[in-house]
Amino acid sequence: MSVTDGSKAFGYIIDQETSVDLLRNEAIAKTVVDLVTAKSSHSVTVGVHGDWGAGKSSVLHMIEAAFANGGSAANPGYLCIRFNGWEFQGFEDAKIALIEGVVTQLIAKRPMLTKATDQVKNVLKRIDWLKIAKRGGGLAFNVSTGLPSPDQVMSLLSMFQAKIENPATFLTKENAEIAMSEMRGFWKESPDSRSVPEELREFHNAFEQLIEKAEVSRLIVLVDDLDRCLPETAIQTLEAIRLFVSLPKTAFVIGADESMIEYSVRSHFKDIPEEGVWKGYPKAYLEKLIQVPFRIPAMGETETHIYVTMLLVGALIEEDSQEFKCLLDRARELMSRPWERKGLEEADIRGALALKYSPDVARAVALADRISPVLAKGASGNPRQVKRFVNALNLRLRVSAARGFGQSIDPDVLVKFMLAETFLPSTVFDHIAMSAASSDDGISEDLALLEAAVRAVPAAEVVSKKGSPIPIATPEVARNEIVEDWKTQEDVARWARVDPEIGKLSLKPYLFVVNDRKNFVGTGKPMSAKLIGILRKLTGTSFAAASAKGDLGALEQTEVELVFGALRTLLLSEKALQVCPAAIGGLNALVTTHQSYQARYLEVLDMLPSDALGAWAGTGYDKVITTAPAKAKLSALFEKWRTKGGASLKMALEPMGSGPNGRS
């Protein structure tokens, strides 16, 4: 693909749930629909599981579409309503929010209930009781006296005052006029005189009567985005669902990542032991609630190729056009037999799109062919990750065109460069970027050798785009060790085999394009080959970092500053901070050799997100931080981490004390 205007490459892909199924997930949706519409009147709870971005919301959207217009031709008594737990994040009580949300949507979608005032009032009254009891002591409803608490009094006053000011909440205006008299009588059957089990039974009875009056044969409640909620909200929502699951004619379909829900359970029930019979409690909690689990499978390489192709073509061709639907039918046919590993071919696309097959479509298809192999592995078969990459690429092409970069940016090269940025280890991408930024011609020599190695091209034949040979490494630059290490990493080798070869090209224009993530081109004086060699040692094994101390001691101050800046950049751009980053060993070696950098080193550590740090951050400073001012800074930093750090870091800091006078 070669275009001069990046804005014409392809359109923006909306990242939201869709009823246009590109992943054959309608099979899961249809199975769930069949399950919840079975003749049995028993309640059922279905889980639609999958990682973040796997397509859970889209499956729920398809289920909802099956019950559009209040039911179906076969049974108009089906009623489907939707509840998004994330929308109620931060509300006073997510449990009450779900209960009230189910009831109010039921009332709103069944007009005949406007005449069923007794049943409606009864259910709303039970919800009011739950609200008051919650405010008076939590959903444990531990009421030990016969008198209302001050909180309960204020709750009642505010509740009934609101209903007087807004009579619509009582459905009829006359109800507002008797609200205060109801309040006076409410105490006779409110938390001071009724037990929680009694009131919950009353709520169940009132809700069953409301279902009957609404002529609902099956109430289907779709609960979405539960795994986006904070642990407390997620648990409250699940607890509210438990109030309904014993009721006949109800079906709950919960879209959530099981691992996030298990995390919420562990966070909520903090005192549960993690060993012995309690070890599996978080998983058992979810299994107890969800009777039928479905897990959305991850896409393989062939499915990713088809998915990316359909996304890019769909951004150029209207998804409701007959041509796109024809192509979608062919894509679904292929995806129904993934074991054949057969993707969309040009003949398929030309035949389906007919006159709508354009040069833009051809470029989009070529792009899909190139990026799919790496996307399949890098995105782990996750549709949202795929969409985010494609949209980021599109945005950068448009920005490049707007900034007048023009033909300096080849979309094919940018694609490969971004694949490395997004899916390869940060140390690999940063090394490529920094070596390109530091060279006069913008060429990353190690990358050129890597691409040659994975294509079995002799190193002597590796030349730049201009035809000049890549210089042979000096003794200080352990280039072969770096390349040999990269060759053993499957993801890196696979990426290097993707066309086009970019190691022979100047990457400096592309460094400007990707500097929204990190600026590789504004760091001042380029690093020499000698400094790049030292940096490689410092970011290698602990032995290699230690062996670089002699090199560090021989550097001039300006050179030390360049190396420190490079290590600082590497550390601050690191995403996986639970394990010790490679830059830490290098910084320790540099600071040990040049003690004047101790305070600046601690300032860099203080910039890292406390809650993301692993146990490594709490140890290993006894030989690094030696001056009194630096020790004081370290102690203050440890105090911050004890308060805001993650569990593993806190554990590393607490048992024996920390820092120069304790744990090291």
Side-chain angles (χ1 to χ4, degrees):
M1 180 177 70
S2 179
V3 296
T4 58
D5 182 0
S7 66
K8 295 180 181 178
F10 46 86
Y12 175 73
I13 299 169
I14 299 176
D15 183 17
Q16 64 183 32
E17 65 271 12
T18 176
S19 57
V20 178
D21 183 31
L22 301 178
L23 299 170
R24 296 289 297 176
N25 283 340
E26 80 274 7
I28 295 176
K30 184 179 184 303
T31 304
V32 173
V33 170
D34 291 343
L35 178 65
V36 300
T37 56
K39 292 184 179 180
S40 172
S41 63
H42 294 298
S43 63
V44 63
T45 309
V46 180
V48 177
H49 301 315
D51 298 332
W52 174 85
K56 300 182 294 294
S57 295
S58 292
V59 171
L60 296 190
H61 189 78
M62 296 172 199
I63 295 171
E64 185 177 27
F67 297 104
N69 303 318
S72 68
N75 192 334
Y78 298 142
L79 178 61
C80 183
I81 61 180
R82 192 173 185 129
F83 180 86
N84 189 308
W86 198 30
E87 291 179 358
F88 292 88
Q89 181 72 53
F91 276 54
E92 181 181 1
D93 191 316
K95 183 180 292 190
I96 297 297
L98 184 137
I99 295 171
E100 195 166 32
V102 170
V103 171
T104 53
Q105 286 193 61
L106 173 61
I107 294 171
K109 292 194 174 186
R110 281 295 190 261
M112 73 278 289
L113 292 179
T114 56
K115 299 179 181 179
T117 55
D118 291 340
Q119 288 82 1
V120 170
K121 286 171 57 179
N122 192 22
V123 169
L124 295 178
K125 188 175 183 179
R126 302 305 161 195
I127 295 175
D128 287 343
W129 189 94
L130 295 176
K131 290 181 181 179
I132 296 168
K134 165 64 179 175
R135 295 176 187 177
L139 281 179
F141 302 121
N142 185 17
V143 180
S144 58
T145 69
L147 297 175
S149 69
D151 285 341
Q152 289 172 329
V153 172
M154 294 306 297
S155 295
L156 276 173
L157 287 172
S158 62
M159 182 187 306
F160 283 100
Q161 180 66 28
K163 288 188 174 182
I164 290 175
E165 294 172 355
N166 182 17
T169 60
F170 260 34
L171 296 182
T172 57
K173 292 184 178 180
E174 54 268 25
N175 287 333
E177 299 171 357
I178 61 173
M180 293 309 295
S181 61
E182 278 197 16
M183 175 184 169
R184 288 191 293 270
F186 201 82
W187 298 112
K188 296 180 181 180
E189 52 174 330
S190 65
D192 64 312
S193 59
R194 296 178 66 89
S195 68
V196 176
E198 288 176 330
E199 190 57 38
L200 291 180
R201 279 195 296 271
E202 290 295 333
F203 172 77
H204 281 178
N205 293 335
F207 187 75
E208 285 191 65
Q209 292 175 17
L210 192 65
I211 289 289
E212 291 293 334
K213 201 71 176 179
E215 300 177 1
V216 172
S217 58
R218 175 72 86 174
L219 176 66
I220 302 105
V221 182
L222 309 178
V223 182
D224 199 9
D225 284 340
L226 202 56
D227 47 9
R228 291 191 181 189
C229 299
L230 293 174
E232 191 63 29
T233 302
I235 293 300
Q236 286 187 7
T237 304
L238 291 173
E239 290 293 315
I241 292 172
R242 289 178 57 190
L243 294 177
F244 291 94
V245 295
S246 61
L247 294 173
K249 300 183 179 181
T250 59
F252 278 79
V253 183
I254 304 171
D257 179 351
E258 324 96 287
S259 61
M260 290 302 297
I261 299 302
E262 290 175 18
Y263 169 77
S264 297
V265 174
R266 286 194 298 270
S267 300
H268 182 77
F269 300 104
K270 297 182 178 65
D271 296 330
I272 294 179
E274 295 186 4
E275 300 297 332
V277 296
W278 294 100
K279 185 176 182 180
Y281 180 79
K283 184 176 182 180
Y285 180 94
L286 190 61
E287 291 176 347
K288 180 73 173 176
L289 178 64
I290 294 179
Q291 299 158 292
V292 184
F294 287 89
R295 181 160 184 87
I296 299 176
M299 296 186 294
E301 185 172 323
T302 301
E303 294 159 304
T304 300
H305 181 207
I306 296 173
Y307 181 64
V308 173
T309 302
M310 294 302 298
L311 284 177
L312 296 179
V313 173
L316 297 169
I317 305 295
E318 299 83 359
E319 288 188 346
D320 58 353
S321 68
Q322 189 59 43
E323 291 85 354
F324 184 83
K325 291 178 180 178
C326 182
L327 182 60
L328 181 60
D329 289 340
R330 176 57 178 160
R332 287 174 171 172
E333 180 185 348
L334 294 171
M335 293 183 80
S336 66
R337 300 189 301 275
W339 54 87
E340 294 183 358
R341 301 177 63 84
K342 185 177 180 181
L344 285 168
E345 298 178 353
E346 184 181 6
D348 296 318
I349 300 168
R350 281 183 176 275
L353 298 186
L355 295 178
K356 290 194 175 183
Y357 186 86
S358 65
D360 283 343
V361 170
R363 286 193 291 268
V365 172
L367 174 64
D369 291 342
R370 294 198 173 186
I371 68 176
S372 293
V374 177
L375 270 180
K377 183 67 175 180
S380 301
N382 186 287
R384 178 167 291 152
Q385 293 279 18
V386 172
K387 286 183 180 179
R388 286 169 64 88
F389 177 85
V390 173
N391 282 332
L393 171 63
N394 184 42
L395 178 63
R396 283 173 168 176
L397 286 171
R398 290 175 182 272
V399 170
S400 297
R403 294 179 67 182
F405 291 171
Q407 295 187 10
S408 297
I409 301 299
D410 183 334
D412 281 348
V413 177
L414 181 59
V415 165
K416 184 165 181 176
F417 201 52
M418 284 182 58
L419 285 171
E421 175 195 30
T422 307
F423 298 119
L424 296 190
S426 60
T427 52
V428 175
F429 176 76
D430 288 345
H431 178 85
I432 293 171
M434 290 176 63
S435 61
S438 301
S439 65
D440 293 334
D441 56 9
I443 291 174
S444 172
E445 299 173 12
D446 290 333
L447 173 57
L449 290 173
L450 172 66
E451 289 181 329
V454 299
R455 290 173 167 81
V457 177
E461 297 180 14
V462 180
V463 296
S464 70
K465 188 177 182 181
K466 298 178 181 179
S468 58
I470 297 293
I472 298 174
T474 59
E476 307 92 66
V477 184
R479 178 178 297 110
N480 289 339
E481 293 181 11
I482 294 292
V483 174
E484 289 302 315
D485 177 58
W486 286 352
K487 284 165 56 180
T488 64
Q489 300 181 45
E490 181 183 351
D491 293 349
V492 179
R494 179 188 294 106
W495 168 80
R497 283 190 288 269
V498 171
D499 287 330
E501 294 182 59
I502 64 175
K504 304 175 185 179
L505 309 177
S506 173
L507 297 179
K508 284 189 175 180
Y510 303 93
L511 296 174
F512 280 93
V513 175
V514 303
N515 69 3
D516 54 350
R517 293 277 290 273
K518 188 168 69 173
N519 190 350
F520 292 96
V521 293
T523 55
K525 181 181 177 182
M527 295 181 71
S528 65
K530 178 183 72 173
L531 293 185
I532 293 176
I534 293 174
L535 187 62
R536 287 181 182 133
K537 290 183 181 180
L538 292 174
T539 55
T541 64
S542 58
F543 177 79
S547 71
K549 289 183 179 179
D551 297 325
L552 289 168
L555 295 179
E556 297 179 2
Q557 180 58 38
T558 54
E559 294 176 317
V560 176
E561 187 66 24
L562 282 172
V563 174
F564 179 82
L567 290 170
R568 176 185 183 275
T569 298
L570 286 173
L571 180 58
L572 293 180
S573 63
E574 183 61 57
K575 301 168 189 164
L577 292 171
Q578 277 296 311
V579 296
C580 186
I584 288 294
L587 284 166
N588 286 342
L590 185 147
V591 174
T592 303
T593 309
H594 299 276
Q595 296 185 7
S596 60
Y597 282 84
Q598 291 184 22
R600 292 178 61 186
Y601 177 32
L602 294 174
E603 290 172 0
V604 176
L605 290 176
D606 195 22
M607 295 178 188
L608 299 175
S610 303
D611 58 351
L613 298 176
W616 63 267
T619 62
Y621 301 99
D622 57 332
K623 295 180 181 179
V624 180
I625 305 302
T626 57
T627 67
K631 287 182 179 181
K633 281 181 173 287
L634 181 61
S635 296
L637 183 58
F638 280 157
E639 285 304 314
K640 171 186 172 181
W641 286 347
R642 286 190 183 98
T643 303
K644 299 182 179 180
S648 60
L649 177 55
K650 290 180 179 178
M651 186 178 299
L653 290 171
E654 293 300 336
M656 298 172 55
S658 304
N661 300 316
R663 189 181 181 96
S664 62

